[in-house]
Amino acid sequence: MVTAEQIRKAYIDYVLTHGEKPKSIYSFVKALDIQESEFYDHYASFESIEKNTWAELVAETIDAVQQQAVWVEYSSRDKILSFFYSFTELLKSQRSFIVYSLKDNGTKHYTPAPLSAARELFEQFAENILSEGLETGELAERKFFTKRYKDALWAQFVFITKFWINDDSTGFEKTDEAIEKGVNVTFDLFQRSPIDNLFEYGKFLSRNGAFKE
């Protein structure tokens, strides 16, 4: 009985060897010497193989960072930094596939098609971290905007992945710098600022009649 992993490896080997998807599932399974039904037992399409591969990369990264002994001591900012550093390190093991998967899928898009399943996993992970940060006061609670924090982190995910694909620096040093600068700027915006204090002060004065004649 063929496994999902065997099908996925065969698919990745095919696209990296030929630079394109197989012409059909029929021709693909015939070359593998398996029945079409065996393919559909595991995947609905070639696209689902790619989505699953990306999702597993995210899941593997999440599992790895959460097992770090220092994880519970990290701030929300440090947890997201740790994720991105670990994620781009893991991507090295499948760089050829990563480049292939996104080259025709519009990395200018907010969510390239192969990343749709990965996005769900990442946003669940990010929401938990953001919730912790809001509870501890590390992050500012802002009406209408707080719920968009996870979207900003997803935008960072897509940007960093695209940056890494195009990074030709030794050891992907520029990507590490992009992660540090991008995440720090994003979390600086998430945290309480003098503008927040001014806004709260204005509300206080308004509630207490300071603006009444």
Side-chain angles (χ1 to χ4, degrees):
M1 180 68 70
V2 68
T3 66
E5 182 64 15
Q6 288 172 326
I7 292 174
R8 183 169 64 176
K9 285 183 176 179
Y11 172 78
I12 291 175
D13 180 67
Y14 184 97
V15 298
L16 295 184
T17 301
H18 296 84
E20 61 181 5
K21 292 180 175 64
K23 298 301 182 185
S24 67
I25 289 176
Y26 176 80
S27 64
F28 177 68
V29 299
K30 187 174 182 180
L32 278 182
D33 195 26
I34 64 173
Q35 299 296 313
E36 263 191 278
S37 59
E38 293 180 86
F39 177 93
Y40 290 118
D41 282 341
H42 301 289
Y43 299 106
S45 63
F46 293 138
E47 289 74 18
S48 67
I49 297 177
E50 295 193 26
K51 290 177 182 179
N52 179 266
T53 300
W54 278 99
E56 289 204 4
L57 286 169
V58 171
E60 185 175 342
T61 303
I62 292 172
D63 184 61
V65 296
Q66 289 182 333
Q67 289 188 38
Q68 296 172 350
V70 293
W71 180 254
V72 295
E73 300 173 12
Y74 277 164
S75 64
S76 298
R77 182 191 300 248
D78 288 336
K79 286 180 177 179
I80 293 297
L81 281 169
S82 180
F83 171 87
F84 281 125
Y85 287 136
S86 299
F87 182 65
T88 52
E89 186 66 28
L90 181 60
L91 291 185
K92 294 177 185 178
S93 65
Q94 297 199 48
R95 181 168 173 82
S96 295
F97 170 74
I98 298 306
V99 173
Y100 163 81
S101 180
L102 291 188
K103 71 181 178 68
D104 294 325
N105 282 284
T107 51
K108 291 182 180 179
H109 294 172
Y110 186 61
T111 302
L115 300 185
S116 58
R119 179 179 179 177
E120 292 182 21
L121 284 177
F122 176 78
E123 288 194 342
Q124 290 172 7
F125 169 73
E127 282 187 316
N128 288 335
I129 291 174
L130 291 169
S131 293
E132 292 173 6
L134 291 166
E135 288 175 8
T136 62
E138 177 192 351
L139 308 181
E141 181 78 53
R142 295 188 178 98
K143 190 175 182 180
F144 304 123
F145 293 106
T146 301
K147 63 182 180 181
R148 309 299 295 182
Y149 286 175
K150 73 179 189 322
D151 298 327
L153 291 180
W154 176 249
Q156 281 291 313
F157 183 105
V158 176
F159 168 76
I160 288 167
T161 302
K162 179 183 176 182
F163 190 97
W164 179 83
I165 287 174
N166 294 298
D167 187 2
D168 60 0
S169 63
T170 302
F172 301 102
E173 293 174 353
K174 289 181 181 178
T175 296
D176 287 343
E177 187 176 356
I179 291 171
E180 179 184 8
K181 292 183 182 300
V183 171
N184 281 331
V185 166
T186 300
F187 271 81
D188 284 347
L189 294 173
F190 290 169
Q191 289 181 319
R192 196 166 187 85
S193 70
I195 295 297
D196 291 295
N197 294 333
L198 181 61
F199 182 66
E200 289 298 324
Y201 182 54
K203 288 199 298 184
F204 169 79
L205 294 177
S206 179
R207 286 196 305 268
N208 289 278
F211 298 135
K212 295 179 180 178
E213 294 184 0

